[in-house]
Amino acid sequence: MAFPQINFKFNGIERAEELSKLVTHKFESLGKFIKEGVPALCEVEFEKVADHKKGKLYRVEINLTINGTLHRAEATEETFEVAIDEVKNELDKEIRRSKDKRDSLIKRAGRNLKEKFFKK
């Protein structure tokens, strides 16, 4: 499945179209975690946090809601591109962790039912 509709918010950023295309391209790989028909909403915020010339200037924040579960990632880096990569990796880890936890709970529930009904 493709990644859901993304809502962008730019706080004083001129490169809006370029950044939105980059985020859309980078986040396509996360679409595999979202099942067809599951409600999903993604909000991305770009912000320049400092007016100085060096250091971590640019912040990217992502709020991804999948079926009522909020996955959030934030990064402040020297360029928007690096911050986007870091946020994508963090979001990927968080979604995988959530999926593994859900799968473990389902397996545990199945084992408990099996033990109750097929007890010798």
Side-chain angles (χ1 to χ4, degrees):
M1 176 180 172
F3 201 73
Q5 176 68 31
I6 302 173
N7 298 328
F8 295 100
K9 181 179 178 184
F10 301 95
N11 294 334
I13 307 300
E14 296 81 32
R15 303 169 29 198
E17 188 171 323
E18 177 187 335
L19 291 172
S20 61
K21 285 181 182 179
L22 182 63
V23 168
T24 304
H25 174 72
K26 295 263 185 184
F27 282 48
E28 285 177 353
S29 65
L30 296 178
K32 63 186 173 192
F33 296 114
I34 303 170
K35 294 180 182 175
E36 192 72 39
V38 173
L41 173 67
C42 183
E43 297 173 343
V44 180
E45 181 179 349
F46 296 95
E47 181 179 21
K48 184 175 180 182
V49 293
D51 289 329
H52 52 80
K53 304 270 185 200
K54 289 179 124 179
K56 297 183 177 184
L57 309 173
Y58 303 101
R59 184 178 73 88
V60 177
E61 178 183 329
I62 299 199
N63 294 317
L64 174 62
T65 306
I66 302 173
N67 202 15
T69 304
L70 176 67
H71 302 282
R72 184 178 182 285
E74 180 180 343
T76 305
E77 291 296 330
E78 295 178 5
T79 66
F80 277 123
E81 291 78 11
V82 174
I84 290 169
D85 287 338
E86 188 174 318
V87 164
K88 179 193 171 276
N89 292 338
E90 187 177 330
L91 201 58
D92 184 38
K93 274 193 258 182
E94 191 171 324
I95 293 171
R96 285 179 192 271
R97 191 177 310 127
S98 174
K99 181 181 178 298
D100 291 344
K101 184 176 180 180
R102 185 182 65 237
D103 290 347
S104 295
L105 288 173
I106 290 170
K107 286 179 184 179
R108 187 182 319 159
R111 270 189 235 114
N112 287 338
L113 285 174
K114 185 178 177 181
E115 287 174 3
K116 286 182 180 179
F117 290 114
F118 298 109
K119 202 177 204 183
K120 288 187 179 185

